Amino acid sequence: MLIAVANQKGGVAKTTTTICLGGLLTPRGTCLLVDLDPQGDLTLGLGFNIPDKKPSCYEVITEKASAASAIVSTKSGLNLLPAEITLAKGETEILTQVGNFYILKEKLESITVNYSYILIDCPPSLGLLTVNALAAADTVLIPVQCQFFALKGLASLLDTIATVQKRLNPQLKILGVLPTMAENTIMTQDVLASLRKRQPSLTIFEPVPKSVKFSEANLAGEPIHSYSKEDKLIKPYQKLADFITNLARN
Ligand SMILES: Nc1ncnc2c1ncn2[C@@H]1O[C@H](COP(=O)(O)OP(=O)(O)OP(=O)(O)O)[C@@H](O)[C@H]1O
Ligand SMILES: [Mg+2]
């Protein structure tokens, strides 16, 4: 099952969600995390530095290396296709290529049999890299920050997903929306209520509470469940992992 974790809005917990879910899904079946963001936050967040001459997502997307040759195992035992800033150059290099929406799909095709779950951490844009992720994915998970302006960008993301479904990937489904950084405030309640009202057909998962523990876990290069024992922080991701596991079984 190939899941794109996407939202063009920055800082909504795409990378954190990819790490936390990856950590929970790995014991349930082989799992690969793909860093498709030139910021390389997923790679750094898992404590991995790409050694000189080792291929990364840049070499994969520009077809200089196979996906298999770029995959590494991180210190917390997760399989990672890492990225760094060179990937920004890669996105420009493939701009004029014929069929450039399908490069990631093509490159992952030979390795998908090796993994039960592949999670793609998308960059905060609706550019070519995100479209490549959507063209390759079975389903999209949309983290949305429980903030006043959070819903503004959701409509354009849903439009892009609809266009990808129409033109590039008719099988693409929306897994659902994951509200993140939820607080015990009226604003969080308002955001959740208007999300349900405006998007009644979307699955809205249990909100992830706001906590500094997530930043600390990122710094430590660990998923939240191995960093903190606080049930209320771990549970939303656990429930989401259960949902994904059940879906993959059926
Ligand atoms: N539930 C949470 N509570 C508090 N802070 C969080 C939570 N989840 C993530 N964060 C923090 O918020 C910041 C942004 O998270 P993250 O990098 O995962 O977002 P992103 O959507 O991947 O960002 P970008 O769009 O830049 O890729 C990070 O510092 C992260 O540690
Ligand atoms: Mg990120």
Side-chain angles (χ1 to χ4, degrees):
M1 188 182 205
L2 211 155
I3 305 173
V5 183
N7 188 338
Q8 79 280 12
K9 194 158 165 46
V12 298
K14 294 180 287 294
T15 303
T16 306
T17 295
T18 307
I19 294 174
C20 292
L21 266 184
L24 289 164
L25 288 172
T26 293
R28 304 178 188 200
T30 45
C31 182
L32 170 68
L33 307 186
V34 178
D35 192 350
L36 200 62
D37 184 353
Q39 296 180 103
D41 289 349
L42 176 66
T43 304
L44 290 174
L46 291 170
F48 187 74
N49 287 308
I50 302 167
D52 279 353
K53 301 207 173 103
K54 171 89 189 153
S56 66
C57 221
Y58 162 72
E59 282 80 5
V60 174
I61 206 86
T62 54
E63 300 181 84
K64 295 177 176 72
S66 67
S69 70
I71 293 168
V72 295
S73 183
T74 69
K75 63 178 183 186
S76 46
L78 301 177
N79 300 307
L80 170 72
L81 204 172
E84 56 185 342
I85 193 65
T86 48
L87 182 55
K89 189 173 66 153
E91 189 175 20
T92 318
E93 282 177 32
I94 61 170
L95 262 182
T96 52
Q97 276 202 25
V98 176
N100 56 11
F101 297 134
Y102 290 118
I103 299 175
L104 184 68
K105 183 183 167 74
E106 241 175 66
K107 299 300 285 187
L108 292 181
E109 238 150 33
S110 58
I111 56 158
T112 43
V113 291
N114 303 335
Y115 299 96
S116 316
Y117 308 102
I118 300 180
L119 304 179
I120 307 177
D121 183 22
C122 294
S125 90
L126 288 176
L128 193 47
L129 290 172
T130 297
V131 174
N132 259 269
L134 296 177
D138 298 308
T139 186
V140 202
L141 172 64
I142 310 172
V144 164
Q145 193 180 350
C146 296
Q147 276 288 332
F148 188 58
F149 294 117
L151 303 181
K152 236 179 72 184
L154 187 59
S156 25
L157 177 57
L158 295 174
D159 280 351
T160 302
I161 292 170
T163 308
V164 169
Q165 285 167 328
K166 193 169 90 180
R167 301 209 179 122
L168 303 175
N169 183 3
Q171 317 300 328
L172 180 66
K173 304 233 165 27
I174 300 178
L175 190 69
V177 171
L178 178 70
T180 62
M181 305 181 211
E183 290 177 281
N184 205 1
T185 60
I186 289 171
M187 186 175 67
T188 286
Q189 294 313 318
D190 281 354
V191 170
L192 293 175
S194 57
L195 193 57
R196 287 190 195 102
K197 195 170 153 210
R198 285 197 220 175
Q199 308 295 343
S201 60
L202 290 184
T203 302
I204 317 279
F205 297 107
E206 182 174 318
V208 180
K210 184 172 186 170
S211 164
V212 73
K213 291 270 192 286
F214 284 98
S215 302
E216 290 172 9
N218 283 354
L219 270 178
E222 287 181 41
I224 192 69
H225 71 278
S226 51
Y227 183 79
S228 162
K229 294 288 158 258
E230 269 186 76
D231 204 38
K232 68 171 187 196
L233 304 183
I234 304 166
K235 219 168 183 181
Y237 281 118
Q238 236 152 14
K239 283 191 172 171
L240 180 55
D242 292 345
F243 184 90
I244 291 168
T245 311
N246 283 334
L247 207 63
R249 274 203 205 109
N250 298 323

